[in-house]
Amino acid sequence: MLKGAFSIWNRDMLVLRRSIFSEFLAVIASPLTFYLAFGFGLRGYIANVEGVSYPVFMAPGLITMTAVTAAFDESAWSMWFHRKVQRTIEAYRVTPITVYDIVVGKIISGFTQGALKGLTVAVVIFLLTSFPFKIGYLAAYLTFIVFGSMIFSCLGTVCGTVLDKPETIGKVQAVIIMPLIFMSGIFFPVSSYPAAARPYVMALPTTALFEGARRALLAGTVDLAYLVLLAGTAVIAFAVAVVVFNRKIEE
């Protein structure tokens, strides 16, 4: 069971090894720029946020952002490249590999790359600042990262499956993915929103991801409402990815 999925995952990891340095350098550049520019540049102008300094408040969000956007990028571009350029997906169809194997394999690949790149950013941030990291809080934090990476991997798989033009994937990232991430409290607490807008923001799965992950990493607490919302969204995203890919491959 899932032997085909792990074969796909293993292939993607071999490809990653060939360009691992440039891949990681490109991925950590953006969150570290945000951290240095806002975390260090504005900390003298911003008082503590929710009981912690501003750089510490930002750090969990930037690490989480790195993990989930890497998961989306890997799934979307890998699926598109294998479908439109290398025709690897067509090759899979003449093997015992099933549709579920392909989708699960891409999701695991996206999660693995997201976790590795998020960990790299975390190590750099922890070295740059006196982040109050406690090893006992890591399990709770990773629970949110697992569900978040699964959701973004599924979204990437859907985009890489249905979008034929690569520039369209970039537009989806710019118009949908990044606004959803930035609206979810990376740089400011969700309580800053007007009261009328707050319920809508709180209902976003990305808010459950970033707020829940921050509380888990800084305080070791797990908000069950956030976790249930994330888990439910992950299940729905997986079902949608399987259905969309299955229909596309039958065309």
Side-chain angles (χ1 to χ4, degrees):
M1 187 176 179
L2 295 181
K3 184 178 179 181
F6 281 103
S7 296
I8 292 173
W9 171 81
N10 187 51
R11 180 192 181 281
D12 290 345
M13 293 304 102
L14 289 174
V15 173
L16 175 64
R17 285 175 55 187
R18 296 173 186 165
S19 58
I20 191 166
F21 180 76
S22 59
E23 281 274 340
F24 278 57
L25 184 63
V27 166
I28 66 175
S30 178
L32 285 182
T33 300
F34 281 124
Y35 190 73
L36 294 173
F38 293 105
F40 285 160
L42 295 179
R43 63 180 175 179
Y45 302 94
I46 299 176
N48 287 356
V49 181
E50 295 185 344
V52 297
S53 67
Y54 189 55
V56 171
F57 175 84
M58 286 178 55
L62 290 176
I63 297 168
T64 306
M65 181 183 74
T66 303
V68 298
T69 53
F72 176 86
D73 287 343
E74 163 59 22
S75 299
W77 291 106
S78 175
M79 181 64 80
W80 179 86
F81 194 74
H82 290 170
R83 186 171 61 86
K84 300 293 291 184
V85 180
Q86 290 188 330
R87 304 290 182 183
T88 312
I89 300 300
E90 293 181 4
Y92 289 152
R93 298 181 63 182
V94 296
T95 69
I97 294 176
T98 67
V99 168
Y100 293 99
D101 287 332
I102 296 173
V103 174
V104 172
K106 290 300 180 188
I107 290 172
I108 297 174
S109 294
F111 168 73
T112 303
Q113 295 209 28
L116 291 174
K117 292 171 181 175
L119 178 63
T120 304
V121 171
V123 169
V124 176
I125 287 178
F126 293 166
L127 291 175
L128 286 175
T129 184
S130 55
F131 189 88
F133 172 71
K134 295 183 180 179
I135 192 72
Y137 298 167
L138 192 58
Y141 176 70
L142 287 178
T143 304
F144 286 90
I145 295 298
V146 167
F147 285 123
S149 296
M150 181 176 174
I151 293 170
F152 277 78
S153 288
C154 291
L155 290 175
T157 299
V158 171
C159 288
T161 300
V162 301
L163 301 178
D164 289 332
K165 296 180 179 179
E167 58 267 28
T168 310
I169 297 177
K171 291 176 182 176
V172 170
Q173 290 176 294
V175 176
I176 299 176
I177 301 297
M178 296 314 294
L180 278 175
I181 290 175
F182 286 141
M183 287 171 57
S184 302
I186 289 184
F187 299 110
F188 55 88
V190 177
S191 57
S192 300
Y193 279 102
R198 207 173 302 152
Y200 300 102
V201 177
M202 295 296 289
L204 294 173
T206 45
T207 301
L209 170 62
F210 286 96
E211 284 287 303
R214 177 184 293 115
R215 294 179 186 180
L217 191 60
L218 295 183
T221 58
V222 176
D223 190 310
L224 288 180
Y226 283 154
L227 200 58
V228 169
L229 176 57
L230 266 186
T233 306
V235 171
I236 294 171
F238 178 73
V240 171
V242 170
V243 170
V244 169
F245 183 78
N246 201 22
R247 287 183 178 177
K248 187 70 175 180
I249 207 170
E250 290 178 349
E251 290 179 355

